[in-house]
Amino acid sequence: MAVQTRDTSAAERSDRVGCSSAPDSAQAGREALLAAANGRTPAAGDLFLLFASADYDIDRLYNAAVDAAGPATVTGCTSQGSFTHAENPTSGCVAAYVAGDATSAGVCHISRDSDDIAGSARRAAQAARERAGERREHEALVLLSDGLTPDQREVARGTYAVTGAKIPFVGGAAADTLQWKRTQTFGDGHVRSDGILAVWLTSDHPLAVSVGHGWRPRGRPMLVTRTEGTIVWELDGRPALEAYLAELPYPIESKDPRFFLDVLSHPVGVPNGRGRYDVRQLHAYLPEGGGLNFNTGISENSIIQVMRGEVDSLLEGATEAAAAAGSQLEGDPQLALVFSCGSRVPLLGERIAEEARAISQRLAGAPVCGFFTYGEFARVDGSSGVHNASVAVLAL
Amino acid sequence: MSQLPDPQPEDALARLHAQNAALSARLEDMEHYTARALMRATRLSQVIAVLGSHDDLDRTIDRAAIEVAELFSADLALLVVDTGAGPRVEGQWGIESGEIPEDPAEIVALDELAPADPVTVAAASSVPLPAWLAAYDPRHVAFARLTVGDKAVGLMLLLRRAEDPFVSEEATELRAIAHRIALAIENGLLQRNMRSQLAQLHRLQRLTAELAGTIQLDAIGAMLADTLVSEAEVSRCVVYVERDGSVAAIASAGTDGGGEPELMSSGTRWERFQLIVAEKSVGYVAVAEPPAERSEAHEMLLHLTGLGALAIDKALAYDRSVEQARHDSLTGLLGHRVFYETLDALVSASPQFSIILLDIDDFKEINDLQGHQRGDEVLCLVADAMRGAVRTGDTIFRIGGEEFCSILPGAHPDEAELIADRLRTAVSDVSAELPHPITISAGVAGFREHARARDKLIAAADAALYQSKRSGKNRTTIAGGRTSVGVPVERTQALELLVSLDPEMVAHGVHTAILAVRIARALDLDDERIADLHTAAKLHDIGKIGIPPAILHRPGPLDDDEFRIVKTHPVVGAQLLRAWGYERPAEFVLAHHERIDGGGYPSQLAGDQIALESRIIHAAEAYFAMTVDRPHQRALSQEAALAELGRCRGTQFDERVVDALVVIAHDGLVGERRAA
């Protein structure tokens, strides 16, 4: 089948994203959405994705966005920070607009069952697929979850049970401002703090998903000798925290004020069968017992290594992700949704805005809209679909 | 000497960049290689850890598929396992929900597609994958047989969509992993079977306990039927019980109703399994499509039918004991416990009803003088008589040694009195031919009329019964009032005792009385006259106890003096009867040898001077005298005797009496000829 290309001007493409730094929650939601619409009257079948600072009153923000969207669908989540290719508001709201003429969306937003996270994700994905209506040639699932979900790997596994190997999924875990207290997802008429939100996209045009990170292995390989869910208790038979700290390039005490920042700078990587590393970010440690809590399950008897990265390598990783997405398309993408790990923010520092720009440039100037997450989802092939300290891209 | 030109710094820098890039690339390649190596070093142990972390077989297989797929960067993974019901996809990863074929044949085909080698890796294009897998556009495929020793457990299939072939080292790993998975599956199946058997044992244990504690036949049947369906792989069954010579269905399972004939006609194969206890059949179970013989399910079926037979037998025994407890074992009537239960229920419901208390008169004398066996016979006789005389809906109970009670729903006391008299008449009738006729006294009380509580009602009827006894027995008294007249029947047991000294005389008297009563009924005499007639007829020769035995039993004809002595017996008999208070019977006995033509004795009465009762006795006695062999005279035939009576009709014997006797004789109602 001949791939459809779209002759769309850069100007037209650029106006599919919007941003607002308004302090008022309702205003921020409304402004960001209308900016993304850019004068268009939202119609039934259109989709708006909003990523907002966790400081906002999300109920007001969401309701205002829904009012402004009219018959169009509104979904989104809170973030550690959000961005477009042009703007990186410190505390604001961004929005992306997906026209409903060539792309249909089905949304399902449920509260997770903590005893059956995979099952919850499966149900959400299943319902979103059914609500998307008639299936078109190209499909992808956008997945947003509560950033404090006990095991994001179960979210991915449940989702994969529905999407299967043919349909990629991409997304991120909602975040707050590094407080780790409450994150929120919104859509399908609800604002939830324990939500799993699935947006099933079915389109006449290709949808490309990719992921990259830019981290390289640094420390010695360590064998995970004891785990319990998402907590690694022992590495090479030693308390995990002790073993991990020993692999850092410089001594760090867990009580050191810089400890958290240093941890963000040194995630661990789990080698996969492709010769790559799936990155896992440490979220917490348990002083009693020296356990390390990643918000994703790590299998016993697996190998982990402390990773290293620099600004340039991280940016390169983002660019590679964009390139991988672009290579799946035959024409220029209209929009790129980007889910970048919040742990990359302190590392990228002042160059944080370069990431979104680099992605946009690599995608022929496509507008970029995204947020900094507490974890990323991206599965095209081979991997488990859960990532940390990475950049996941959906180009459409 | 010439000098080489100085290298340009730009070129050196470029070379350095190139070298740096090459080194970076090599470093990256080494990192990739190392990552793969690290992964391969631990893949097997990771899978083993996953396999050992779940007890449930389904969970184990499901997780195994996911873990292997992730560890080998496979986009799709299938675990096809044969758990005893043919190859099925028990674990999968990457197949969109609803796309695994439901047709088992497709899964079998997949199993057959795989090479026989333990592990095979290949380009997907070289393998004719089924359409539902080919739709995923895989590039590379790996097959791994799941075997434990020589036993095939299933198949593992991995597919990659990326251009990333499975290398030989991965194939080696997959072989080891497949073996571990097969072991885990095999162990899981064993555990599952053990759990299933244990659960089944628990269910059987529970069933046994429930059956042991149940005596309700319907409940036992239902439990048996349901368990056969659930445990013995039977689709339908019906439980039949043999009781009192008939067979009836008591429970079924898996059916929508209908008996065995209807079910048998459905085309399904049915088989019967007898329910046997100690070589005795208590019923059978009809099952549809029974399991194959010697199969576990068949053994279970036999075990369950054995259990069911025992429980059913016990329930039947219980029912019988209950029934027996409810009934008097001698007479078969309902017993006093049921009497009180029935009465309580009626009093509670408070409808109109009456009770009759009945008591056999002088029963103690019967037991004392004739023995307890005779007494039991009398009780049975009375019970049978009354049983046949009550209305439909009335009930007779034996509530004491010789005490009975009848409960009459809907009856007022007046109606109950009539029924009481009917019961007494029935008893009298059946005992009329006995040497010692039986009478009963009755007391009647009506609920509401005489009492509104059970005990008071019984007391009222008992008081009435007592009144009947005091009034002379053989009568009915309504509580607080009227006493009916006794049924005419001989109540001369004391006299009969005298008569019993001469058995022949007793027999002659009994037969004469029977025939006399029949003649009297034919002539429409009322009950009171018949009663007196009966007494007189039975004792008409009692006066002969004063005749010397030498004369009485002379074999030859009597001379005049002897005959004169014999002719005193009517007078002596009358005197005796008068002495006992039987005035009217005495008159009849006195005149029982008078003739119509006045040629009789002792008073030469004639015609109507002679009481009809005497004329009846005269004819009846003569008939029996002619039809019995005597020392000096052979018995005449019935026809000859009747002819003789006819010859003397109007002279010796009353014409009407003779005519009635002839009719009775021809109806076969005269007793058989007896030898002397």
Side-chain angles (χ1 to χ4, degrees):
Chain A
M1 173 186 284
V3 175
Q4 297 180 9
T5 60
R6 291 177 277 186
D7 293 328
T8 314
S9 67
E12 273 187 9
R13 287 186 291 131
S14 69
D15 62 14
R16 293 173 186 267
V17 301
C19 177
S20 172
S21 299
D24 180 72
S25 303
Q27 182 182 356
R30 184 170 50 251
E31 281 183 358
L33 185 143
L34 291 176
N38 196 26
R40 300 182 190 84
T41 302
D46 291 346
L47 172 68
F48 289 92
L49 293 115
L50 274 67
F51 308 115
S53 169
D55 292 334
Y56 282 123
D57 179 346
I58 297 301
D59 287 285
R60 292 188 63 234
L61 184 145
Y62 175 53
N63 289 332
V66 167
D67 285 342
T73 301
V74 177
T75 66
C77 66
T78 58
S79 67
Q80 186 182 330
S82 50
F83 51 85
T84 69
H85 58 281
E87 302 197 48
N88 260 89
T90 306
S91 176
C93 177
V94 299
Y97 164 70
V98 179
D101 51 351
T103 302
S104 304
V107 177
C108 179
H109 185 203
I110 65 173
S111 291
R112 71 168 180 275
D113 176 358
S114 294
D115 293 329
D116 184 15
I117 298 172
S120 302
R122 186 173 60 247
R123 286 189 292 277
Q126 180 76 40
R129 183 175 72 174
E130 291 166 1
R131 293 174 187 178
E134 186 181 343
R135 299 178 73 172
R136 308 186 194 203
E137 185 181 355
H138 305 280
E139 294 181 291
L141 179 75
V142 176
L143 184 63
L144 302 175
S145 70
D146 167 32
L148 305 183
T149 299
D151 190 343
Q152 301 287 0
R153 187 168 67 168
E154 292 298 304
V155 176
R157 285 180 169 179
T159 302
Y160 193 56
V162 177
T163 60
K166 280 189 290 185
I167 298 169
F169 63 82
V170 66
D176 64 6
T177 52
L178 293 176
Q179 301 300 312
W180 293 95
K181 288 188 175 173
R182 184 179 75 162
T183 74
Q184 290 173 292
T185 50
F186 49 89
D188 195 16
H190 301 281
V191 175
R192 302 187 193 277
S193 57
D194 60 351
I196 296 177
L197 192 152
V199 183
W200 191 284
L201 301 176
T202 182
S203 176
D204 297 329
H205 303 294
L207 305 169
V209 171
S210 64
V211 65
H213 52 73
W215 299 95
R216 304 282 291 274
R218 175 191 175 85
R220 295 177 304 114
M222 295 181 286
L223 182 68
V224 177
T225 47
R226 186 164 71 94
T227 67
E228 189 176 339
T230 60
I231 300 175
V232 174
W233 287 105
E234 287 182 5
L235 295 169
D236 289 337
R238 297 162 59 189
L241 177 62
E242 176 187 313
Y244 167 80
L245 291 176
E247 291 300 314
L248 296 185
Y250 43 83
I252 298 177
E253 295 290 333
S254 58
K255 295 180 177 55
D256 195 308
R258 280 183 50 82
F259 175 76
F260 185 63
L261 211 58
D262 286 334
V263 162
L264 287 182
S265 306
H266 295 89
V268 300
V270 182
N272 60 38
R274 296 280 175 84
R276 302 286 188 269
Y277 286 83
D278 294 326
V279 183
R280 299 285 179 262
Q281 187 63 266
L282 175 64
H283 284 253
Y285 70 94
L286 287 78
E288 192 169 331
L292 300 175
N293 190 5
F294 303 87
N295 72 340
T296 304
I298 294 182
S299 301
E300 212 163 87
N301 293 326
S302 61
I303 298 283
I304 64 172
Q305 281 179 274
V306 171
M307 308 293 275
R308 63 179 170 85
E310 296 82 28
V311 174
D312 288 332
S313 69
L314 296 183
L315 290 175
E316 188 177 338
T319 306
E320 287 176 355
S327 67
Q328 299 173 46
L329 304 174
E330 293 277 344
D332 295 335
Q334 301 300 300
L335 173 69
L337 295 176
V338 175
F339 309 91
S340 179
C341 190
S343 65
R344 298 163 69 88
V345 173
L347 294 168
L348 293 172
E350 295 176 352
R351 297 178 64 184
I352 185 63
E354 290 184 35
E355 184 178 79
R357 281 202 296 272
I359 292 171
S360 176
Q361 287 171 2
R362 196 64 182 83
L363 290 173
V368 169
C369 178
F371 73 100
F372 295 111
T373 74
Y374 278 176
E376 304 77 57
F377 301 107
R379 194 195 182 283
V380 180
D381 54 47
S383 72
S384 67
V386 176
H387 309 272
N388 288 150
S390 303
V391 178
V393 177
L394 169 64
L396 60 162
Chain B
M1 176 171 76
S2 60
Q3 284 182 308
L4 291 172
D6 291 334
Q8 296 292 327
E10 295 83 5
D11 293 339
L13 190 59
R15 280 198 299 275
L16 281 172
H17 278 308
Q19 286 172 359
N20 191 38
L23 283 170
S24 293
R26 278 192 63 188
L27 180 62
E28 198 167 328
D29 286 344
M30 285 180 63
E31 285 177 355
H32 295 161
Y33 178 83
T34 303
R36 283 183 192 259
L38 288 171
M39 167 58 76
R40 288 172 189 165
T42 59
R43 264 197 289 229
L44 178 59
S45 57
Q46 288 188 57
V47 171
I48 291 172
V50 167
L51 294 176
S53 62
H54 301 287
D55 290 335
D56 180 68
L57 177 62
D58 292 338
R59 186 90 173 135
T60 297
I61 295 174
D62 188 51
R63 282 299 182 181
I66 296 171
E67 287 293 330
V68 173
E70 288 187 352
L71 290 170
F72 283 85
S73 295
D75 299 284
L76 296 102
L78 286 171
L79 282 177
V80 178
V81 181
D82 187 351
T83 57
R88 290 174 47 179
V89 176
E90 296 287 350
Q92 67 88 12
W93 183 243
I95 306 291
E96 199 172 329
S97 56
E99 290 201 352
I100 293 180
E102 293 183 359
D103 183 2
E106 297 224 34
I107 308 304
V108 171
L110 186 64
D111 187 69
E112 292 171 351
L113 171 70
D117 293 333
V119 174
T120 304
V121 296
S125 57
S126 67
V127 178
L129 291 171
W132 57 278
L133 281 179
Y136 287 88
D137 195 23
R139 297 282 192 269
H140 299 278
V141 61
F143 292 96
R145 287 283 176 192
L146 305 176
T147 56
V148 177
D150 295 332
K151 181 182 175 184
V153 176
L155 171 72
M156 180 167 63
L157 177 63
L158 302 177
L159 296 109
R160 286 175 177 165
R161 300 180 73 227
E163 194 50 65
D164 183 14
F166 291 97
V167 297
S168 60
E169 292 85 354
E170 289 177 309
T172 305
E173 283 182 80
L174 280 172
R175 183 170 180 169
I177 287 172
H179 178 64
R180 291 288 181 164
I181 292 175
L183 277 174
I185 291 172
E186 186 72 0
N187 286 339
L189 285 173
L190 281 172
Q191 282 189 13
R192 178 186 283 179
N193 286 340
M194 276 178 53
R195 283 197 207 103
S196 173
Q197 288 175 357
L198 193 61
Q200 190 179 60
L201 279 174
H202 284 151
R203 289 194 298 274
L204 285 178
Q205 189 182 37
R206 197 164 51 245
L207 173 69
T208 305
E210 286 175 2
L211 286 176
T214 304
I215 51 176
Q216 300 298 322
L217 204 57
D218 292 346
I220 291 171
M223 272 192 275
L224 177 60
D226 290 342
T227 307
L228 281 168
V229 168
S230 65
E231 304 288 346
E233 297 178 9
V234 167
S235 60
R236 293 175 288 177
C237 74
V238 184
V239 180
Y240 294 86
V241 167
E242 292 180 36
R243 186 164 35 180
D244 299 327
S246 64
V247 176
I250 62 168
S252 66
T255 70
D256 294 328
E260 192 180 356
E262 291 86 347
L263 298 171
M264 289 289 190
S265 67
S266 66
T268 304
R269 186 173 77 85
W270 285 79
E271 188 174 337
R272 288 184 182 184
F273 293 83
Q274 290 297 130
L275 302 172
I276 305 286
V277 177
E279 300 182 350
K280 179 189 72 172
S281 174
V282 296
Y284 64 90
V285 175
V287 303
E289 297 162 341
E293 287 190 19
R294 289 189 291 278
S295 67
E296 279 190 26
H298 193 265
E299 292 302 311
M300 176 62 67
L301 187 153
L302 295 178
H303 176 72
L304 289 171
T305 52
L307 271 179
L310 286 171
I312 288 171
D313 184 57
K314 188 182 75 169
L316 290 173
Y318 176 78
D319 285 350
R320 285 193 297 271
S321 69
V322 167
E323 198 61 20
Q324 287 168 3
R326 288 166 54 85
H327 291 79
D328 171 56
S329 59
L330 176 64
T331 64
L333 295 174
L334 292 169
H336 74 277
R337 186 164 64 91
V338 184
F339 164 68
Y340 283 108
E341 288 174 1
T342 307
L343 199 57
D344 284 339
L346 278 173
V347 169
S348 296
S350 194
Q352 174 63 49
F353 72 96
S354 295
I355 66 171
I356 309 172
L357 285 184
L358 304 127
D359 187 280
I360 300 177
D361 296 326
D362 305 311
F363 183 73
K364 187 176 182 304
E365 287 183 22
I366 297 175
N367 266 341
D368 291 345
L369 297 174
Q370 301 180 50
H372 289 280
Q373 183 175 349
R374 178 67 183 150
D376 288 349
E377 292 171 0
V378 167
L379 288 168
C380 292
L381 193 73
V382 168
D384 289 342
M386 290 197 294
R387 187 185 284 120
V390 290
R391 306 172 305 172
T392 302
D394 297 340
T395 311
I396 298 282
F397 304 84
R398 183 183 175 196
I399 62 172
E402 68 269 27
E403 294 170 319
F404 301 83
C405 181
S406 180
I407 297 179
L408 313 174
H412 290 276
D414 290 342
E415 186 181 358
E417 182 189 19
L418 294 175
I419 296 170
D421 285 340
R422 193 164 79 196
L423 292 174
R424 294 192 300 104
T425 300
V427 170
S428 171
D429 283 349
V430 300
S431 65
E433 299 179 21
L434 297 178
H436 311 293
I438 302 159
T439 63
I440 52 176
S441 298
V444 172
F447 181 69
R448 294 185 192 159
E449 288 85 354
H450 300 112
R452 287 184 174 271
R454 183 193 79 176
D455 292 342
K456 289 186 177 176
L457 183 66
I458 295 173
D462 192 53
L465 173 62
Y466 182 69
Q467 181 60 34
S468 291
K469 293 289 190 181
R470 283 180 58 86
S471 299
K473 305 181 184 179
N474 184 29
R475 60 196 68 237
T476 301
T477 302
I478 298 177
R482 185 175 77 250
T483 301
S484 68
V485 178
V487 173
V489 79
E490 181 55 59
R491 291 170 63 239
T492 58
Q493 290 167 331
L495 288 177
E496 289 168 4
L497 287 175
L498 292 175
V499 175
S500 68
L501 291 174
D502 186 338
E504 186 177 336
M505 187 187 301
V506 171
H508 178 68
V510 167
H511 288 288
T512 302
I514 292 173
L515 181 55
V517 167
R518 289 189 176 135
I519 295 171
R521 290 195 192 282
L523 296 179
D524 294 325
L525 266 65
D526 62 42
D527 289 345
E528 189 171 352
R529 291 179 68 181
I530 289 175
D532 290 336
L533 168 64
H534 185 261
T535 302
K538 275 186 72 174
L539 299 173
H540 69 276
D541 280 342
I542 194 171
K544 289 184 178 179
I545 65 173
I547 298 176
I551 297 175
L552 195 61
H553 299 298
R554 179 179 293 284
L558 300 173
D559 59 26
D560 292 342
D561 289 335
E562 290 168 341
F563 191 54
R564 261 198 308 279
I565 293 173
V566 170
K567 286 197 294 186
T568 64
H569 78 275
V571 177
V572 175
Q575 287 173 346
L576 283 172
L577 289 176
R578 285 196 201 95
W580 283 94
Y582 295 102
E583 291 296 329
R584 284 193 54 77
E587 294 301 317
F588 303 152
V589 168
L590 180 62
H592 81 273
H593 275 292
E594 300 291 351
R595 294 166 54 114
I596 294 295
D597 60 4
Y601 62 89
S603 306
Q604 294 79 47
L605 298 177
D608 292 339
Q609 292 177 320
I610 307 168
L612 176 60
E613 288 83 340
S614 297
R615 286 179 261 165
I616 292 173
I617 294 173
H618 183 52
E621 183 195 34
Y623 174 82
F624 278 115
M626 285 187 282
T627 56
V628 172
D629 284 333
R630 297 188 178 201
H632 62 280
Q633 179 185 324
R634 287 188 61 77
L636 297 180
S637 68
Q638 176 178 284
E639 290 302 320
L642 292 175
E644 182 62 20
L645 286 172
R647 191 178 66 77
C648 298
R649 175 178 180 274
T651 53
Q652 182 175 354
F653 304 110
D654 182 275
E655 295 168 345
R656 292 180 299 146
V657 171
V658 170
D659 292 344
L661 193 152
V662 169
V663 170
I664 290 168
H666 287 155
D667 287 345
L669 296 179
V670 177
E672 293 180 355
R673 183 169 67 182
R674 294 177 63 251

